Amino acid sequence: MIKKYYPDPINTSNIQLDKNILEIAEILAKNTHEVWSLGKIKEGWTYGPKIDSNLKQHPSLIEYEELSEEQKDYDRNTSIETLKVLISLGFKITK
């Protein structure tokens, strides 16, 4: 029997990020894409027009700047939520 899974992320709805932190989020989003891409390439994946697991091809194996805004938003949202969690846990982000 498969146990039902109920995601329960930390509530960050009350956290507002200022301009400086949002700039960090964009840097983290690009880095997230770079880490993902490097992992795929190490596994033998290459660029292809569509996701093909048999040929190990993926259309997102391109530079971050070439991704659609929708694709970038996936990485941005991950970065933004990570930063919000850190702040909600009491961490301070300073340069």
Side-chain angles (χ1 to χ4, degrees), residues 5-71:
Y5 169 58
Y6 298 98
D8 187 24
I10 295 171
N11 182 355
T12 61
S13 61
N14 63 327
I15 304 294
Q16 297 295 315
L17 301 180
D18 66 29
K19 181 182 170 217
N20 292 329
I21 301 298
L22 288 173
E23 288 174 7
I24 295 169
E26 187 66 18
I27 293 167
L28 290 173
K30 180 178 179 178
N31 193 65
T32 297
H33 177 70
E34 295 296 313
V35 170
W36 173 84
S37 297
L38 185 60
K40 284 292 196 193
I41 291 167
K42 283 181 178 179
E43 293 172 359
W45 287 72
T46 60
Y47 171 82
K50 62 180 181 153
I51 298 173
D52 187 321
S53 297
N54 293 325
L55 295 176
K56 289 191 169 185
Q57 292 183 340
H58 201 292
S60 295
L61 280 173
I62 56 177
E63 291 185 26
Y64 180 78
E65 292 77 12
E66 295 177 23
L67 294 172
S68 69
E69 287 303 307
E70 182 179 336
Q71 292 169 310

Side-chain angles (χ1 to χ4, degrees), residues 65-83:
E65 292 77 12
E66 295 177 23
L67 294 172
S68 69
E69 287 303 307
E70 182 179 336
Q71 292 169 310
K72 288 178 186 176
D73 282 343
Y74 181 84
D75 293 324
R76 285 178 183 137
N77 290 336
T78 299
S79 299
I80 287 169
E81 281 304 309
T82 299
L83 289 165

